[in-house]
Each structure stands twice: as structure tokens, then as C-alpha cells.
Amino acid sequence: MIFTDTHTHLYSEQFKADRAQMMHRTIDARVRRLFLPNIDVQSIQPMLDLVWEFPENCFPMMGLHPCSVDEHVEAHLFQIQKWFKKRKFYAVGEIGLDYYWSTEFKEQQISAFKKQCQWAIQYDLPVVIHSRNSTADIISIIKEINHQKLRGIFHCFSGTDVEAEEIVSLGFYLGIGGVLTYNKSTLPDAIANIGLEHLVLETDSPYLAPIPYRGKRNESSYLLFVAEKLAEIKNVSIEKVAAVTTENSTKIFGI
Ligand SMILES: [Zn+2]
């Protein structure tokens, strides 16, 4: 049994002091496949350093996070797009819209998201989508682009049952993380009618640690708490959750 963390920022500064130990805890916990979303131009090198150190376990993505979109967006996108010619990436991510932290650059966020969706189609890669207070806009952009190659994951899904059904009907997967374990989480109800074949696991480390580590720094070894909770909700074994969600990740990322 192995697990796949489809969204984890293990190259973050927050692991600077104990990154090697954390990586070994994660691998020992059988979380063996780690997909690393990029954030901005500055995060590329630390991300690729970690991939270089753990090439069997770490798989990088390339993209500009919506919270890093500012007045220099075109320059950031220019730098980021060049990387697709330099090496293999497994997704365009993380990309999307975030209206929670700021809507100052809303128009730029929308155009950066659309542009990066076009890259994904061009390079035949999945997208890994960050949506915060913006799910309706993201869904309508995906429908507007309406391309069969446009596929991927709604990372850290936390919407309603109606949104879950709609995302699945578009052929996208839902990324399920620590929020599933929180006491008042509405996520178990939202995904009650969604089959395991549409779900993938993620931690979003160092953020959103599951119970019993809520509020602390998250790491990929804690993915097991999310997997256990999902097994309980779906009334299946943890082995089944590990197998199906890993198989889904293989279908998405092609590895
Ligand atoms: Zn992320």
C-alpha cells in the first residue's frame, strides 16, 4: 500500500530546519508519491532542488499561483512559461482565482488563469486549480474554453454538493485534504454522493494540517489522517482508498 499526495509544498521555507527528517518520515509513512505545485518565479529553484534530491518521490508542476498575480503578471508568466521547454513537468499548477485574499488584480488573475489553461492544452498537461471564493468563475471559464484536453484537479475542494457534482461532470477530480477531518466540516456531506474514482488525496503542506495536528505545520506524512477519514466516510478499507486515489493520480499526471 502506498499513498499519493497530489498537492504538497515540501520545498517551503517552513521545512528548512528539518526537511530531510520530514522527507524520511513521509516516505516511511508510505506516502511515496509527492506532486509539488509551483507558486511563483522564486519558488522554482527550491522546488527543483527537492526534486533533484528525491527524484523517485517528487514530481514538479509549473505555474503561477493566483495570489502571486500582480501588476507584473506578464513578466512572471514569461519567466514561468520558459521552464516548460527546459524539463518535464507533470501539470500546470497551481493556477486559479483567489478572491478571498484580494480582488485588486481580479482581471489579471482571470487572464493569467485563462492563459495557463491554454498552456495546459498546448502541452497536453493537467491543470491543478486553486479556487477560493471563485468556484463559479472557474467553472464558467472551463466551460467557456470547452476543450476535451482541459482536465485536472480542483485542489483543496471545499464547495457544496452541487459544485462537487458539476466539477465531476466536467471530468475533473476533487482534491481532498485536511479539511475533511475538521469537526464542523461540511465536506463529508458535499462528497457523500461522489465516488472514490473522482477523488485524490492531498495535504497542501505546510498549510491545513488535519486533526490531530490542526493549526500546526502540515507535512505529507499526515496524509494518512485524511485517508483514514475518507475510508471511514466511504465505508471502505484504507487499502482501497490508497489504491484508488493513487490510480486516479496516475491517470491525471501520467506517472
Ligand atoms: Zn497549494
Side-chain angles (χ1 to χ4, degrees):
M1 173 172 67
I2 61 153
F3 296 91
T4 302
D5 189 345
T6 59
H7 195 109
T8 182
H9 302 270
L10 297 179
Y11 54 83
S12 159
E13 273 282 300
Q14 294 198 41
F15 298 105
K16 202 175 174 182
D18 61 343
R19 198 180 319 271
Q21 294 95 307
M22 177 278 295
M23 286 299 292
H24 289 116
R25 270 199 298 278
T26 294
I27 290 164
D28 288 348
R30 288 180 286 194
V31 185
R32 300 274 160 86
R33 289 157 49 82
L34 306 162
F35 288 87
L36 310 178
N38 189 51
I39 297 287
D40 57 24
V41 175
Q42 280 70 41
S43 60
I44 297 170
Q45 200 54 55
M47 176 178 76
L48 294 178
D49 288 347
L50 191 62
V51 171
W52 188 80
E53 248 187 286
F54 296 91
E56 315 262 283
N57 307 100
C58 291
F59 307 99
M61 310 177 198
M62 184 50 66
L64 182 68
H65 191 290
C67 294
S68 302
V69 168
D70 58 20
E71 65 270 39
H72 307 298
V73 61
E74 287 306 321
H76 301 321
L77 289 173
F78 180 76
Q79 291 300 327
I80 283 176
Q81 190 180 14
K82 284 201 283 192
W83 278 93
F84 289 99
K85 296 186 188 80
K86 294 186 196 171
R87 61 154 294 147
K88 169 74 183 163
F89 292 97
Y90 295 87
V92 179
E94 63 182 289
I95 63 174
L97 303 173
D98 190 314
Y99 301 159
Y100 175 82
W101 290 108
S102 167
T103 52
E104 187 186 353
F105 297 106
K106 185 174 171 178
E107 289 315 308
Q108 291 90 334
Q109 282 193 34
I110 291 171
S111 72
F113 177 59
K114 288 181 177 172
K115 191 169 193 175
Q116 294 182 93
C117 285
Q118 293 301 338
W119 294 353
I121 293 167
Q122 185 187 337
Y123 305 133
D124 199 10
L125 290 172
V127 288
V128 170
I129 298 174
H130 169 109
S131 74
R132 195 141 186 218
N133 294 4
S134 61
T135 305
D137 276 14
I138 296 216
I139 289 173
S140 79
I141 291 168
I142 288 169
K143 286 181 171 170
E144 181 191 310
I145 296 173
N146 185 30
H147 198 293
Q148 61 163 27
K149 276 194 176 166
L150 189 58
R151 64 192 194 276
I153 301 171
F154 275 66
H155 127 72
C156 193
F157 176 73
S158 56
T160 64
D161 54 346
V162 176
E163 288 169 336
E165 299 273 3
E166 184 153 32
I167 290 165
V168 164
S169 77
L170 290 167
F172 279 73
Y173 291 77
L174 305 175
I176 305 298
V179 172
L180 190 71
T181 67
Y182 298 169
N183 293 329
K184 287 177 183 153
S185 177
T186 55
L187 194 50
D189 288 336
I191 62 167
N193 296 318
I194 305 289
L196 268 187
E197 66 275 17
H198 302 293
L199 306 178
V200 289
L201 299 177
E202 63 168 67
T203 59
D204 201 17
S205 299
Y207 315 107
L208 293 170
I211 283 178
Y213 296 104
R214 190 174 182 180
K216 307 243 166 58
R217 185 189 72 174
N218 199 4
E219 63 177 54
S220 287
S221 68
Y222 301 167
L223 191 74
L224 271 68
F225 297 102
V226 181
E228 273 169 11
K229 185 71 184 181
L230 189 58
E232 183 192 314
I233 288 169
K234 294 296 180 193
N235 200 21
V236 295
S237 65
I238 191 155
E239 287 82 4
K240 174 95 176 165
V241 167
V244 177
T245 57
T246 289
E247 191 185 318
N248 293 345
S249 73
T250 297
K251 285 182 191 154
I252 298 165
F253 294 111
I255 192 168

